[in-house]
mmCIF file of all heavy atoms in Angstrom:
data_model
loop_
_atom_site.group_PDB
_atom_site.id
_atom_site.type_symbol
_atom_site.label_atom_id
_atom_site.label_comp_id
_atom_site.label_asym_id
_atom_site.label_seq_id
_atom_site.Cartn_x
_atom_site.Cartn_y
_atom_site.Cartn_z
ATOM 1 N N ASP A 9 216.785 48.795 9.235
ATOM 2 C CA ASP A 9 216.673 49.341 10.590
ATOM 3 C C ASP A 9 217.203 48.276 11.557
ATOM 4 O O ASP A 9 216.651 47.189 11.659
ATOM 5 C CB ASP A 9 215.215 49.659 10.882
ATOM 6 C CG ASP A 9 214.983 50.206 12.290
ATOM 7 O OD1 ASP A 9 215.876 50.077 13.147
ATOM 8 O OD2 ASP A 9 213.891 50.731 12.540
ATOM 9 N N VAL A 10 218.305 48.598 12.232
ATOM 10 C CA VAL A 10 218.909 47.637 13.166
ATOM 11 C C VAL A 10 218.837 48.169 14.595
ATOM 12 O O VAL A 10 219.666 47.823 15.440
ATOM 13 C CB VAL A 10 220.367 47.299 12.773
ATOM 14 C CG1 VAL A 10 220.398 46.508 11.473
ATOM 15 C CG2 VAL A 10 221.225 48.570 12.657
ATOM 16 N N SER A 11 217.841 49.001 14.871
ATOM 17 C CA SER A 11 217.712 49.586 16.209
ATOM 18 C C SER A 11 217.450 48.525 17.270
ATOM 19 O O SER A 11 217.714 48.764 18.463
ATOM 20 C CB SER A 11 216.596 50.635 16.234
ATOM 21 O OG SER A 11 215.357 50.077 15.823
ATOM 22 N N ASP A 12 216.934 47.361 16.852
ATOM 23 C CA ASP A 12 216.742 46.270 17.804
ATOM 24 C C ASP A 12 218.036 45.520 18.090
ATOM 25 O O ASP A 12 218.091 44.687 18.999
ATOM 26 C CB ASP A 12 215.691 45.282 17.278
ATOM 27 C CG ASP A 12 216.046 44.707 15.914
ATOM 28 O OD1 ASP A 12 216.696 45.424 15.110
ATOM 29 O OD2 ASP A 12 215.678 43.553 15.639
ATOM 30 N N LEU A 13 219.094 45.857 17.329
ATOM 31 C CA LEU A 13 220.368 45.153 17.457
ATOM 32 C C LEU A 13 221.490 46.042 17.980
ATOM 33 O O LEU A 13 222.415 45.553 18.626
ATOM 34 C CB LEU A 13 220.791 44.570 16.098
ATOM 35 C CG LEU A 13 219.787 43.626 15.428
ATOM 36 C CD1 LEU A 13 220.237 43.302 14.003
ATOM 37 C CD2 LEU A 13 219.638 42.349 16.242
ATOM 38 N N THR A 14 221.433 47.342 17.688
ATOM 39 C CA THR A 14 222.515 48.241 18.082
ATOM 40 C C THR A 14 222.044 49.683 18.030
ATOM 41 O O THR A 14 221.076 50.009 17.340
ATOM 42 C CB THR A 14 223.729 48.075 17.142
ATOM 43 O OG1 THR A 14 224.827 48.861 17.622
ATOM 44 C CG2 THR A 14 223.388 48.537 15.731
ATOM 45 N N GLN A 15 222.745 50.543 18.766
ATOM 46 C CA GLN A 15 222.592 51.985 18.650
ATOM 47 C C GLN A 15 223.902 52.613 18.172
ATOM 48 O O GLN A 15 224.078 53.833 18.242
ATOM 49 C CB GLN A 15 222.162 52.591 19.987
ATOM 50 C CG GLN A 15 220.735 52.242 20.372
ATOM 51 C CD GLN A 15 219.718 52.776 19.381
ATOM 52 O OE1 GLN A 15 219.736 53.960 19.033
ATOM 53 N NE2 GLN A 15 218.820 51.900 18.901
ATOM 54 N N ASP A 16 224.819 51.772 17.671
ATOM 55 C CA ASP A 16 226.105 52.241 17.161
ATOM 56 C C ASP A 16 226.412 51.478 15.878
ATOM 57 O O ASP A 16 227.109 50.469 15.882
ATOM 58 C CB ASP A 16 227.207 52.010 18.204
ATOM 59 C CG ASP A 16 228.540 52.644 17.811
ATOM 60 O OD1 ASP A 16 228.718 52.988 16.623
ATOM 61 O OD2 ASP A 16 229.416 52.759 18.692
ATOM 62 N N SER A 17 225.847 51.969 14.776
ATOM 63 C CA SER A 17 225.973 51.235 13.515
ATOM 64 C C SER A 17 227.417 51.142 13.042
ATOM 65 O O SER A 17 227.794 50.162 12.394
ATOM 66 C CB SER A 17 225.111 51.901 12.442
ATOM 67 O OG SER A 17 225.505 53.239 12.200
ATOM 68 N N ARG A 18 228.227 52.135 13.388
ATOM 69 C CA ARG A 18 229.622 52.096 12.931
ATOM 70 C C ARG A 18 230.374 50.969 13.639
ATOM 71 O O ARG A 18 231.109 50.204 12.996
ATOM 72 C CB ARG A 18 230.289 53.442 13.182
ATOM 73 C CG ARG A 18 231.570 53.633 12.399
ATOM 74 C CD ARG A 18 231.967 55.082 12.273
ATOM 75 N NE ARG A 18 233.060 55.247 11.344
ATOM 76 C CZ ARG A 18 233.516 56.413 10.926
ATOM 77 N NH1 ARG A 18 232.952 57.528 11.354
ATOM 78 N NH2 ARG A 18 234.521 56.487 10.074
ATOM 79 N N ALA A 19 230.195 50.841 14.935
ATOM 80 C CA ALA A 19 230.838 49.760 15.676
ATOM 81 C C ALA A 19 230.285 48.400 15.253
ATOM 82 O O ALA A 19 231.019 47.417 15.139
ATOM 83 C CB ALA A 19 230.655 49.966 17.180
ATOM 84 N N PHE A 20 228.982 48.354 15.009
ATOM 85 C CA PHE A 20 228.341 47.112 14.583
ATOM 86 C C PHE A 20 228.888 46.663 13.228
ATOM 87 O O PHE A 20 229.208 45.477 13.023
ATOM 88 C CB PHE A 20 226.832 47.319 14.520
ATOM 89 C CG PHE A 20 226.026 46.059 14.380
ATOM 90 C CD1 PHE A 20 226.376 44.889 15.029
ATOM 91 C CD2 PHE A 20 224.882 46.051 13.598
ATOM 92 C CE1 PHE A 20 225.615 43.729 14.913
ATOM 93 C CE2 PHE A 20 224.111 44.906 13.473
ATOM 94 C CZ PHE A 20 224.486 43.744 14.132
ATOM 95 N N ALA A 21 229.035 47.613 12.293
ATOM 96 C CA ALA A 21 229.604 47.284 10.985
ATOM 97 C C ALA A 21 231.047 46.805 11.113
ATOM 98 O O ALA A 21 231.476 45.881 10.406
ATOM 99 C CB ALA A 21 229.523 48.500 10.066
ATOM 100 N N ALA A 22 231.796 47.419 12.021
ATOM 101 C CA ALA A 22 233.185 46.997 12.242
ATOM 102 C C ALA A 22 233.238 45.574 12.790
ATOM 103 O O ALA A 22 234.103 44.775 12.402
ATOM 104 C CB ALA A 22 233.885 47.966 13.186
ATOM 105 N N ASP A 23 232.317 45.228 13.693
ATOM 106 C CA ASP A 23 232.259 43.867 14.223
ATOM 107 C C ASP A 23 231.918 42.860 13.121
ATOM 108 O O ASP A 23 232.503 41.766 13.061
ATOM 109 C CB ASP A 23 231.215 43.773 15.338
ATOM 110 C CG ASP A 23 231.637 44.488 16.610
ATOM 111 O OD1 ASP A 23 232.841 44.787 16.746
ATOM 112 O OD2 ASP A 23 230.763 44.753 17.458
ATOM 113 N N ILE A 24 230.960 43.220 12.262
ATOM 114 C CA ILE A 24 230.580 42.323 11.172
ATOM 115 C C ILE A 24 231.764 42.087 10.241
ATOM 116 O O ILE A 24 232.032 40.952 9.813
ATOM 117 C CB ILE A 24 229.378 42.907 10.397
ATOM 118 C CG1 ILE A 24 228.131 42.921 11.279
ATOM 119 C CG2 ILE A 24 229.103 42.107 9.122
ATOM 120 C CD1 ILE A 24 226.946 43.654 10.662
ATOM 121 N N LEU A 25 232.499 43.141 9.954
ATOM 122 C CA LEU A 25 233.667 42.999 9.080
ATOM 123 C C LEU A 25 234.717 42.106 9.728
ATOM 124 O O LEU A 25 235.239 41.170 9.100
ATOM 125 C CB LEU A 25 234.262 44.372 8.769
ATOM 126 C CG LEU A 25 235.567 44.368 7.952
ATOM 127 C CD1 LEU A 25 235.358 43.719 6.591
ATOM 128 C CD2 LEU A 25 236.093 45.796 7.788
ATOM 129 N N GLN A 26 235.042 42.370 10.983
ATOM 130 C CA GLN A 26 236.115 41.641 11.640
ATOM 131 C C GLN A 26 235.745 40.176 11.895
ATOM 132 O O GLN A 26 236.559 39.270 11.682
ATOM 133 C CB GLN A 26 236.477 42.322 12.964
ATOM 134 C CG GLN A 26 237.735 41.776 13.617
ATOM 135 C CD GLN A 26 238.970 41.964 12.756
ATOM 136 O OE1 GLN A 26 239.189 43.020 12.171
ATOM 137 N NE2 GLN A 26 239.794 40.920 12.628
ATOM 138 N N GLU A 27 234.531 39.942 12.319
ATOM 139 C CA GLU A 27 234.144 38.594 12.729
ATOM 140 C C GLU A 27 233.589 37.753 11.584
ATOM 141 O O GLU A 27 233.820 36.542 11.529
ATOM 142 C CB GLU A 27 233.118 38.664 13.864
ATOM 143 C CG GLU A 27 233.664 39.324 15.132
ATOM 144 C CD GLU A 27 232.626 39.379 16.239
ATOM 145 O OE1 GLU A 27 231.755 38.476 16.279
ATOM 146 O OE2 GLU A 27 232.680 40.310 17.055
ATOM 147 N N ALA A 28 232.851 38.392 10.661
ATOM 148 C CA ALA A 28 232.225 37.638 9.578
ATOM 149 C C ALA A 28 232.939 37.813 8.244
ATOM 150 O O ALA A 28 232.694 37.045 7.313
ATOM 151 C CB ALA A 28 230.760 38.061 9.435
ATOM 152 N N GLY A 29 233.790 38.824 8.165
ATOM 153 C CA GLY A 29 234.445 39.075 6.888
ATOM 154 C C GLY A 29 233.487 39.607 5.833
ATOM 155 O O GLY A 29 233.668 39.377 4.640
ATOM 156 N N VAL A 30 232.453 40.339 6.264
ATOM 157 C CA VAL A 30 231.495 40.966 5.354
ATOM 158 C C VAL A 30 231.533 42.477 5.603
ATOM 159 O O VAL A 30 231.346 42.922 6.741
ATOM 160 C CB VAL A 30 230.067 40.433 5.560
ATOM 161 C CG1 VAL A 30 229.092 41.136 4.610
ATOM 162 C CG2 VAL A 30 230.017 38.923 5.348
ATOM 163 N N ALA A 31 231.791 43.233 4.555
ATOM 164 C CA ALA A 31 231.842 44.691 4.674
ATOM 165 C C ALA A 31 230.469 45.274 4.372
ATOM 166 O O ALA A 31 229.898 45.013 3.305
ATOM 167 C CB ALA A 31 232.877 45.263 3.717
ATOM 168 N N VAL A 32 229.910 46.031 5.323
ATOM 169 C CA VAL A 32 228.627 46.715 5.147
ATOM 170 C C VAL A 32 228.811 48.169 5.576
ATOM 171 O O VAL A 32 229.784 48.518 6.251
ATOM 172 C CB VAL A 32 227.500 46.044 5.962
ATOM 173 C CG1 VAL A 32 227.337 44.587 5.548
ATOM 174 C CG2 VAL A 32 227.760 46.137 7.454
ATOM 175 N N THR A 33 227.858 49.011 5.201
ATOM 176 C CA THR A 33 228.018 50.446 5.438
ATOM 177 C C THR A 33 227.131 50.927 6.577
ATOM 178 O O THR A 33 225.923 50.691 6.558
ATOM 179 C CB THR A 33 227.664 51.248 4.178
ATOM 180 O OG1 THR A 33 228.421 50.744 3.080
ATOM 181 C CG2 THR A 33 227.987 52.715 4.360
ATOM 182 N N PRO A 34 227.699 51.616 7.570
ATOM 183 C CA PRO A 34 226.874 52.193 8.640
ATOM 184 C C PRO A 34 225.941 53.262 8.104
ATOM 185 O O PRO A 34 226.300 54.038 7.211
ATOM 186 C CB PRO A 34 227.908 52.807 9.591
ATOM 187 C CG PRO A 34 229.225 52.233 9.197
ATOM 188 C CD PRO A 34 229.133 51.887 7.757
#
């Protein structure tokens, strides 16, 4: 549950991929 971090899991996952190089699933 990442509701304390974002309300847009798809955008958040894209940021993690681009900035951290870790692929996760929304």
Side-chain angles (χ1 to χ4, degrees):
D9 179 344
V10 292
S11 57
D12 57 328
L13 303 171
T14 186
Q15 290 298 309
D16 188 344
S17 61
R18 197 160 189 172
F20 192 38
D23 289 344
I24 293 172
L25 175 61
Q26 190 62 44
E27 297 180 30
V30 179
V32 301
T33 307

